[in-house]
Amino acid sequence: CTVRPGGVRHCGHAITSGTRYIIGGFCMNVNKVEYVRMLMGLGSEENSKKNYKTAQEALEAAIALNPDFDGPYSHLADLFTKQGEIAKAQQVLEHCFQNVNPQSGEVAYSLGVIYLDQAQYGSAKNCMQACLESDDCDVDAMMVMAQACAGEDDNSGEEEWYQRIVSTPGASPN
């Protein structure tokens, strides 16, 4: 059972016997309207409709209201990525990762993928390490680690990551 902020990557772990229950929750205050979450919802909705200007305005307003909450940063970066503005997406994610929440798995993963695409393998690994510190069974982060090792021509490192992936409880055999 967990109670956590939304920016923390989370999952259930495989079990070998019995029944697994996963209970997750968020704390909210009934006397406080959550404007930031409402703006994030609006931004995501408008982004899916390709109303990028309105989506960007909503997400930037959410950040302005609470710049210490990591939630809207990854949404804003996703919006920029959909528009092909990778440098802007990277800037948003780097700011969040360095100044807001260096433990945000969502931000770390998205930033790491950008670094991987840019052949910045050391930076990609640093981001994936942040993901793995939160969840040592994060197979997606392990896959990026293996790809970064391959990009560095580190065959033994790449093999170690693939071995770790296949030995991770609950990992897909595909």
Side-chain angles (χ1 to χ4, degrees), residues 11 27 38 53 62 86 89 96 104 112 137 153 158 170:
C11 71
C27 291
M38 292 170 63
K53 184 176 186 288
I86 304 303
C96 184
S104 171
C137 294
D153 293 324
E158 180 184 10

Side-chain angles (χ1 to χ4, degrees), residues 63-86:
I63 290 169
L65 281 172
N66 188 355
D68 296 329
F69 173 52
D70 58 5
Y73 290 92
S74 59
H75 292 279
L76 183 59
D78 179 58
L79 175 122
F80 288 139
T81 299
K82 283 184 177 178
Q83 296 178 79
E85 298 184 56
I86 304 303

Side-chain angles (χ1 to χ4, degrees), residues 52-171:
Y52 298 129
K53 184 176 186 288
T54 304
Q56 183 175 342
E57 290 170 352
L59 293 167
E60 287 175 344
I63 290 169
L65 281 172
N66 188 355
D68 296 329
F69 173 52
D70 58 5
Y73 290 92
S74 59
H75 292 279
L76 183 59
D78 179 58
L79 175 122
F80 288 139
T81 299
K82 283 184 177 178
Q83 296 178 79
E85 298 184 56
I86 304 303
K88 281 186 177 182
Q90 181 176 340
Q91 183 180 13
V92 167
L93 294 169
E94 285 175 341
H95 171 78
C96 184
F97 191 58
Q98 294 166 4
N99 302 299
V100 179
N101 184 359
Q103 297 175 328
S104 171
E106 187 64 34
V107 169
Y109 183 81
S110 298
L111 182 58
V113 169
I114 288 174
Y115 287 145
L116 182 69
D117 290 344
Q118 296 173 347
Q120 295 182 35
Y121 303 119
S123 296
K125 287 178 169 181
N126 288 339
C127 290
M128 294 308 121
Q129 191 58 46
C131 293
L132 291 164
E133 286 172 8
S134 296
D135 176 8
D136 64 351
C137 294
D138 188 337
V139 174
D140 294 328
M142 290 181 215
M143 183 63 75
V144 173
M145 292 291 259
Q147 292 170 332
C149 287
E152 295 173 327
D153 293 324
D154 176 4
N155 295 333
S156 63
E158 180 184 10
E159 183 177 341
E160 286 176 30
W161 282 108
Y162 287 131
Q163 289 296 328
R164 186 168 168 187
I165 290 168
V166 297
S167 66
T168 298

